[in-house]
Amino acid sequence: DAGTLRLSVQPYTGTSTFLPLLNGGEMEFGVVNAVDMGLSYRGPSYKIGGRNPFPHAPNLRLVMRGSPLMVGLLVRKDSSIKNVYDIKGKRMTGEYPAHLAVWYNMFGHLSSAGLTWNDVQVVPVPAVNDGVDALVQGRADVTEHAINSAKIKEADAAIGIRHITIDCSPEGEARLRKAVPGYYGRMVKAGQATAVVEDTCFIAYDIYLSAGKGVPDGVVEAMLKAVWENTEKLVPVHPLFREWTRERAVDPEVTIPYHPGAIRFYKERGVWKAGMDQAQQKLLSLNP
């Protein structure tokens, strides 16, 4: 309803299916999380936790840094597990062959406490909802899901569950950021979401509006202008859009370089701050 662009939505089954199209110019825009984007942009020589299953897409460019996704560890409400350190030796869902991003989530949870997959008993599951099912069915002691999701509400009604905190001390945060670039810790107060029974630290990672570097600057600027001037209209669409804000759009710790059209747009509005040019050049140098 805003701006001059008219977009048609194309459904795909996951990141790995459409990033090659974004990279090759067959699709103009895509919405993907920061970690998947960083892995795809940097290619097979760059690994997190010893793996990178994503197709190399060096032409990815950032248009706007959006709101954060948040994911947290889950246990039964009556479990003796109180925090991430207590999961050592316990049955933890893993592998996630049909849901690659969740493997990185679980790896990040472990890393915040200095733990590895060797410190837990891995319960193989294909995707994130299957992990919650394993917890409900008693086949796993700990799993994860996105904060306040319908699946969490379903499991909480069935058996009673609660989130447990990762280590968000300065040392824990440093381990998390080093293990999975693009992740950071975010505290959630008790009672702010289902299964958050005490102040709890979650993994947060950003959603990116992205484009291929071949998309004309004017098209990127038109897209940005439409969103920039109408962010308040997004909020009723989904709660995540509360943090899809102008203040979050530009950040030096993003995982892919910004599109030139986006840079010009931000410079004109005075939000491309000192240090951003150096951050941009550092990211560009990763794909010379």
Side-chain angles (χ1 to χ4, degrees), residues 14-16 18-19 22 30-41 48 54 60 62 64-71 99-105 180-183 203-210 244 254-256:
T15 304
S16 58
F18 74 79
L19 283 181
L22 200 62
V31 179
V32 188
N33 74 74
V35 176
D36 290 10
M37 280 294 195
L39 285 161
S40 295
Y41 171 71
I48 294 176
F54 294 98
L60 294 176
L62 183 55
M64 186 176 190
R65 173 185 179 239
S67 50
L69 296 165
M70 285 193 286
V71 295
H99 210 158
L100 301 175
V102 184
W103 186 92
Y104 291 104
N105 291 165
V180 189
Y183 281 179
I203 283 176
Y205 55 117
D206 299 320
I207 307 168
Y208 288 174
L209 172 61
S210 57
W244 198 290
V254 296
T255 60
I256 61 173

